Amino acid sequence: MEIPERLRWTERNPAGRAWLATLPDRLTECVERWKLRVDPPFAYAFASLAMPAKLPDGTPAVLKLQYPDDDSVHEATALAHWAGRGAIRLLAHDAERRALLVERCVPGTPLHRLPPEAALDVAVGLLPRLWVPAGPPFTPLAEEAAGWAERLPAKWERLNRPFERRLLDAALGLLAGLVPSQGEQVLVNQDLHAGNVLAATREPWLVIDPKPLVGEREFGAVPLVRGPELGDSPAALRHRLDRLSAELGLDRDRVRGWAVVHTLAWSIGEDEVFPHQVETVRRLLDMA
């Protein structure tokens, strides 16, 4: 089986290697169950094996075999909850195999191919459609944030304090104020960056690959603010923060605070640090 280069990080740890070993059988079982024809996997997938597929009637689809992380465990439930409104449709789901069969976006051009201002226009129209009331089984943002607060200091120490203490202290301080003072709880997607919004035919743009939580709207804008896809500079970062906060009616300080917290939480893994994300935290903290 061909494994995309971006998915080869799974070869570096025992859990990843065990997952890779199961893929051929899982793929065969899903192809047989849903009577699919599949092509080689998409090169961009990072946390799943995602393959173009066709249903028996020729309808284009995507078969996803997920890496069994916690962030994506409710991806299928989120897609079903949105029911195609602003997001791809869920066609079938096998929870035991962590397999999803979903609508394929055609032509599938990512949002970041647009000029940044046009891409932000799309985001301003799309995000409110996704912020719908939700509850269990989705993880509350408050619960997820408690995990960040517990794990971040331990990881920071274990990896020999890879960035200045002020960043860690700032994130923990912001968390203490943000978590108990949240607004209305809606379905938010902590991985909604400009590479996970694709051009389609059923709707002009559709969200893929959600990592859902239930939290306030201010958190829902964070991935597009902090992601470098629409401009990798302090000025571009500030502009996204200002424009999305203003046009979506969000509290700018809370969006910025959640962006600091979430970026730092995702900047440090079990055995590595992502320097660009750490630099993004510095930029956000320098903004008034």
Side-chain angles (χ1 to χ4, degrees):
M1 178 185 294
E2 178 185 354
I3 301 298
E5 190 63 33
R6 281 174 52 83
L7 200 53
R8 290 196 174 276
W9 62 269
T10 55
E11 298 173 339
R12 300 199 298 268
N13 62 75
R17 291 191 292 271
W19 175 72
L20 290 172
T22 69
L23 284 181
D25 286 344
R26 292 168 68 201
L27 174 60
T28 299
E29 291 161 359
C30 290
V31 166
E32 292 178 351
R33 175 180 178 181
W34 292 320
K35 298 179 173 58
L36 304 175
R37 288 174 288 159
V38 296
D39 291 324
F42 293 108
Y44 62 76
F46 181 77
S48 64
L49 187 72
M51 313 180 75
K54 284 189 176 179
L55 305 184
D57 64 1
T59 301
V62 173
L63 173 64
K64 289 188 65 176
L65 301 177
Q66 296 176 321
Y67 184 80
D69 59 15
D70 293 336
D71 290 336
S72 60
V73 68
H74 294 306
E75 176 178 346
T77 310
L79 294 176
H81 199 75
W82 285 318
R85 296 181 295 271
I88 56 172
R89 284 178 171 145
L90 178 70
L91 305 178
H93 178 219
D94 186 326
E96 181 180 352
R97 294 182 176 88
R98 291 291 294 264
L100 287 76
L101 188 64
V102 298
E103 176 183 10
R104 192 193 315 176
C105 294
V106 179
T109 309
L111 183 62
H112 60 72
R113 296 283 182 86
L114 290 183
E117 290 307 298
L120 289 174
D121 289 342
V122 172
V124 167
L126 185 60
L127 283 170
R129 300 180 63 206
L130 302 171
W131 293 338
V132 294
F138 300 113
T139 301
L141 174 56
E143 180 181 320
E144 188 78 359
W148 299 333
E150 178 181 352
R151 294 188 297 270
L152 262 173
K155 289 181 177 180
W156 185 73
E157 291 285 359
R158 189 173 67 250
L159 294 178
N160 298 316
R161 304 183 177 188
F163 47 78
E164 57 268 41
R165 177 79 199 205
R166 76 177 181 94
L167 305 187
L168 179 61
D169 289 343
L172 296 177
L174 286 163
L175 265 178
L178 288 167
V179 170
S181 58
Q182 291 184 73
E184 181 187 7
Q185 301 290 282
V186 296
L187 190 57
V188 293
N189 174 5
Q190 59 177 327
D191 202 26
L192 205 169
H193 57 74
N196 276 345
V197 182
L198 303 183
T201 50
R202 182 174 59 81
E203 291 192 10
W205 298 93
L206 293 172
V207 170
I208 66 168
D209 297 343
K211 291 180 169 51
L213 298 170
V214 173
E216 66 175 353
R217 289 171 174 81
E218 279 74 7
F219 181 84
V222 163
L224 280 165
V225 168
R226 69 178 182 82
E229 295 84 5
L230 300 182
D232 188 12
S233 70
L237 177 64
R238 180 187 296 273
H239 179 66
R240 291 193 297 274
L241 173 63
D242 291 344
R243 185 174 172 198
L244 289 173
S245 298
E247 296 190 23
L248 291 169
L250 305 175
D251 184 312
R252 181 186 183 278
D253 288 340
R254 296 187 70 86
V255 176
R256 174 178 167 270
W258 281 120
V260 168
V261 169
H262 193 243
T263 308
L264 197 66
W266 279 29
S267 74
I268 184 166
E270 293 302 320
D271 58 359
E272 63 182 323
V273 175
F274 302 102
H276 185 275
Q277 297 200 45
V278 175
E279 180 58 26
T280 298
V281 174
R282 295 189 185 103
R283 292 173 176 178
L284 287 162
L285 288 173
D286 289 341
M287 292 180 187

